[in-house]
């Protein structure tokens, strides 16, 4: 039996609305695709589900009561992208965010997400953080400030092609108990002797 849905707005829990649109895709419901959507959840929602739902309608998706958004960093970046926040998805700005990645994450993406909400961004299970010195430093400084939480034992890879200074390397080393991989720009033995930490993977050219 196919149900023909003729409505301009759908309101409900994200999981229920997504189930309705999945049924529309499967042919069990017909007529959905251009409605405005109001997500009524007042707790946590999945960024992946929010993005999937957003792709199934040309209408605006409104999320006003949600307290936490959780998911992979890439999915959360999509949910909070400038294009979505300009009117495709509305209501996001003050939620706590939980990053569920268990591997490597981008410091630049983490900073982007942190700038999109006044809530705390939690990163509990990432094993590595990559990016240039500026982005990595910003992410861990935010962790120190408390707008990001959970960082402190990840491996860190600094991607600056020209390398970083000894002072910068020591700054990053102090942020984590994990291995720091970076190219050191200095080749002065006296300066290099001030490197802190042990077990890091530094590349140095000594003349």
């Amino acid at each position: 039996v196919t149900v023909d849905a003729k409505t301009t707005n759908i309101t409900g829990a994200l999981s229920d609305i997504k189930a309705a649109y999945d049924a529309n895709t499967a042919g069990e419901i017909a007529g959905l695709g251009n409605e405005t959507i109001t997500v009524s959840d007042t707790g946590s929602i999945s960024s992946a589900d929010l993005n999937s739902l957003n792709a199934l309608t040309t209408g605006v998706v409104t999320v006003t009561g949600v307290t936490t958004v959780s998911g992979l960093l890439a999915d959360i970046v999509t949910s909070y992208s400038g294009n979505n926040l300009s009117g495709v998805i509305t209501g996001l700005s003050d939620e706590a965010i939980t990053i569920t990645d268990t591997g490597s994450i981008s410091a630049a993406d983490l900073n982007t997400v942190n700038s999109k909400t006044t809530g705390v961004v939690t990163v509990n299970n990432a094993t590595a953080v990559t990016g240039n010195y500026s982005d990595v430093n910003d992410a861990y400084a935010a962790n120190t400030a408390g707008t990001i939480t959970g960082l402190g034992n990840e491996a860190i890879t600094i991607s600056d092609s020209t390398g970083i200074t000894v002072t910068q390397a020591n700054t990053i080393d102090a942020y984590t108990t994990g291995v720091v991989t970076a190219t050191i720009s200095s080749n002065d033995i006296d300066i290099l002797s001030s490197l802190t930490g042990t077990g890091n993977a530094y590349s140095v050219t000594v003349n």
Side-chain angles (χ1 to χ4, degrees), residues 38-192:
T38 302
V39 176
S40 62
D41 296 74
T42 56
S44 178
I45 63 170
S46 158
S47 57
D49 285 350
L50 180 59
N51 294 338
S52 294
L53 181 60
N54 185 44
L56 293 172
T57 181
T58 57
V60 174
V61 178
T62 300
V63 185
T64 56
V66 168
T67 57
T68 304
V69 178
S70 64
L72 297 175
L73 181 55
D75 289 332
I76 292 176
V77 166
T78 298
S79 296
Y80 284 81
S81 69
N83 181 58
N84 282 344
L85 296 185
S86 66
V88 180
I89 297 176
T90 66
L92 297 177
S93 67
D94 61 355
E95 305 73 29
I97 293 177
T98 301
I99 307 295
T100 60
D101 295 70
T102 57
S104 179
I105 60 173
S106 158
D109 285 348
L110 183 57
N111 292 333
T112 295
V113 168
N114 189 40
S115 72
K116 299 293 186 180
T117 181
T118 57
V120 175
V121 179
T122 300
V123 186
N124 282 333
N125 298 308
T127 57
V129 176
T130 63
N132 61 41
Y133 171 80
S134 178
D135 288 334
V136 172
N137 185 54
D138 285 350
Y140 279 85
N143 187 72
T144 300
T147 58
I148 295 175
T149 66
L151 298 177
N153 62 353
E154 305 74 27
I156 296 176
T157 299
I158 305 297
S159 60
D160 296 66
S161 59
T162 57
I164 59 175
T165 67
V166 167
T167 298
Q168 290 172 330
N170 290 343
T171 296
I172 299 300
D173 175 68
Y175 285 139
T176 184
T177 57
V179 173
V180 178
T181 300
T183 298
I184 307 299
S185 57
S186 175
N187 58 14
D188 185 291
I189 292 296
D190 291 334
I191 295 175
L192 292 172

